[in-house]
């Protein structure tokens, strides 16, 4: 039975909070913002983590082609962040639906393209204004309305993927990580590849993460078969494969690059798997490496393993990340109930070090010393807890020991 209790403690499943008292399953909400830059009302789709709290801060994933990508990404983020052994952090997802896709997701106009409708050529080229809208209007709006962390991800597919790459090159520090699926890299005769080749010598920004997911033109074709395909659509893939080869064989000092080719997915189906793999790739530092032995062996220093995990998450995200106080406290109490005293002590002390201004951590470590019959240390910690917050239950425990 103890093993199953431990699994529950480490999982802390919060998904059951969704819509238990409602008739509809709600997974996000619509919003809008009046853009002065674009001179239009822009719809938004916003997902907040279950249990969202203003006392926590959350990275933000911004989605181009919001209607097409919102449900995929918000579900992926919810799934990968729903336990204490998270694979990615809890995040806010902001979908940006299109009002004029050809305008917003193309930063410059082609002079001529025999495969492109004339109306698309005429509409294109508004990408820089769109990015200005994101930077100067949308981001300040989201950051004023929600509790956001200083970590942002940009995701886009097809033309949206192309816009992701352009943003990385020309507004590098706007996002910490970029995910592009089947980006339209043949726009203006593959100009994006030439820009990437010049990127390393002209940019001095901090490192960013880039993941590119590539689907097959026809499901089942490998890269060579795609290039050899007589259809003009295969021409879209050659500059993409060239870009992937360049980034793989000529690493850029300020880009952490990874990619994946999905032979059995096409241009449309690839975005779901690429979104999943992209999130896993850019947050490869986030996954917990705590083993069953760490949890079950009374001699294993679980507290130190947790401390190192959160140090790694802090380094990867660039801001302080702490384990939940109740998570550590519940673990410590669990091991105390098993009489794994050393393991419990390490966890209680970890919580004191992380949350030195919380009365609860001193109350709990006071309980630990009571269990060991070390009453003087228990009294010391109960008094410390009461000096921070007067709590009746703590006062009663202190009185009980002192009146013995």
């Amino acid at each position: 039975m103890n093993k199953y209790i431990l699994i529950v403690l480490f999982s802390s499943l919060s998904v059951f909070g969704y819509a238990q008292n409602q008739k509809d399953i709600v997974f996000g909400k619509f919003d809008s913002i009046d853009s002065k830059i674009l001179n239009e009302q822009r719809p938004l789709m916003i997902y907040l983590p279950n249990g969202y709290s203003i006392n926590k801060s959350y990275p933000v994933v911004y989605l181009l082609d919001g209607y097409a990508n919102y449900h995929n990404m918000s579900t992926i983020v919810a799934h990968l962040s729903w336990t204490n052994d998270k694979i990615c952090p809890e995040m806010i997802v902001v979908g940006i639906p299109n009002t004029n896709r050809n305008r917003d997701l193309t930063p410059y106009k082609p002079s001529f393209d025999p495969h492109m409708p004339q109306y698309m050529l005429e509409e294109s080229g508004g990408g820089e204004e769109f990015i200005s809208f994101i930077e100067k209007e949308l981001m300040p709006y989201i950051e004023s309305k929600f509790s956001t962390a200083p970590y942002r991800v940009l995701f886009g597919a097809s033309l949206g993927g192309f816009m992701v790459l352009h943003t990385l090159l020309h507004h590098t520090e706007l996002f910490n990580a970029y995910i592009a699926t089947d980006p339209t890299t043949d726009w203006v005769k593959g100009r994006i590849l030439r820009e990437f080749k010049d990127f390393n010598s002209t940019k001095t920004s901090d490192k960013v993460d880039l993941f590119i997911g590539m689907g097959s033109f026809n499901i089942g074709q490998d890269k060579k078969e795609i290039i050899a395909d007589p259809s003009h659509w295969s021409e879209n893939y050659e500059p993409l494969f060239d870009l992937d080869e360049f980034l793989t064989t000529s690493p850029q000092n300020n880009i952490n690059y990874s990619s994946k080719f999905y032979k059995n997915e096409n241009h449309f189906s690839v975005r779901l798997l690429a979104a999943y793999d992209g999130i896993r790739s850019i947050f490869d530092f986030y996954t917990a490496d705590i083993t069953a032995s760490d949890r079950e062996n009374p001699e294993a220093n679980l507290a130190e393993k947790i401390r190192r995990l959160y140090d790694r998450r802090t380094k990867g995200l660039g801001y302080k990340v702490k384990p939940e106080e109740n998570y550590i406290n519940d673990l410590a109490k669990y091991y105390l109930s098993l009489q794994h005293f050393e393991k419990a002590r390490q966890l209680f002390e970890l919580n004191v070090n992380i949350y030195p201004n919380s009365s609860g951590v001193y109350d709990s470590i006071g309980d630990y010393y009571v269990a060991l019959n070390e009453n003087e240390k228990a009294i010391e910690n109960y008094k410390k807890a009461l000096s921070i917050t007067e709590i009746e239950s703590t006062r009663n425990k202190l009185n009980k020991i002192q009146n013995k």
Side-chain angles (χ1 to χ4, degrees), residues 149-165:
Y151 191 96
R152 307 178 186 128
V153 181
L154 181 64
F155 174 88
S158 194
L159 270 182
F162 170 58
M163 198 63 200
V164 166
L165 298 181

Side-chain angles (χ1 to χ4, degrees), residues 56 286 306 310-311 313-314 319-325 327-328 353-356:
K56 296 174 61 176
Y286 207 87
I306 292 173
Y310 279 86
D311 284 349
R313 289 176 173 178
T314 293
Y319 62 90
K320 185 65 176 178
V321 182
K322 300 186 293 186
E324 295 285 347
E325 179 182 340
Y327 165 59
I328 302 298
N353 289 332
I354 296 174
Y355 297 99

Side-chain angles (χ1 to χ4, degrees), residues 67-80:
Y67 286 133
N69 297 316
Y70 173 81
H71 289 95
N72 286 350
M73 184 61 78
S74 55
T75 301
I76 289 167
V77 169
H79 175 68
L80 294 180

Side-chain angles (χ1 to χ4, degrees), residues 285-348:
F285 61 87
Y286 207 87
T287 303
D289 57 353
I290 296 170
T291 66
S293 177
D294 294 326
R295 297 168 178 172
E296 297 171 10
N297 182 355
E299 305 302 320
N301 192 335
L302 178 60
E304 178 61 18
K305 201 73 176 282
I306 292 173
R307 186 194 65 77
R308 290 202 303 267
L309 168 63
Y310 279 86
D311 284 349
R312 189 170 73 245
R313 289 176 173 178
T314 293
K315 181 179 179 180
L317 289 171
Y319 62 90
K320 185 65 176 178
V321 182
K322 300 186 293 186
E324 295 285 347
E325 179 182 340
N326 288 341
Y327 165 59
I328 302 298
N329 192 56
D330 289 346
L331 278 178
K333 287 184 175 180
Y334 169 74
Y335 289 114
L336 181 59
S337 72
L338 296 181
Q339 296 187 352
H340 293 176
F341 295 119
E342 180 60 17
K343 205 177 192 77
R345 180 190 64 78
Q346 292 166 349
L347 288 162
F348 282 126

Side-chain angles (χ1 to χ4, degrees), residues 210-259:
L210 170 63
F211 176 87
I212 295 180
M214 297 164 283
S216 181
F217 172 57
N218 291 313
I219 290 178
Q221 288 183 324
D222 60 26
K223 290 183 178 180
K224 290 183 179 179
E225 291 171 325
I226 293 172
I227 298 302
D229 193 291
S231 168
H232 78 265
W233 289 106
S234 65
E235 297 173 5
N236 298 342
Y237 285 85
E238 187 168 1
L240 174 56
F241 296 156
D242 289 345
L243 175 62
D244 176 55
E245 182 178 5
F246 169 72
L247 291 173
T248 301
T249 59
S250 304
Q252 305 296 291
N253 291 338
N254 45 2
I255 300 178
N256 294 318
Y257 178 66
S258 60
S259 66

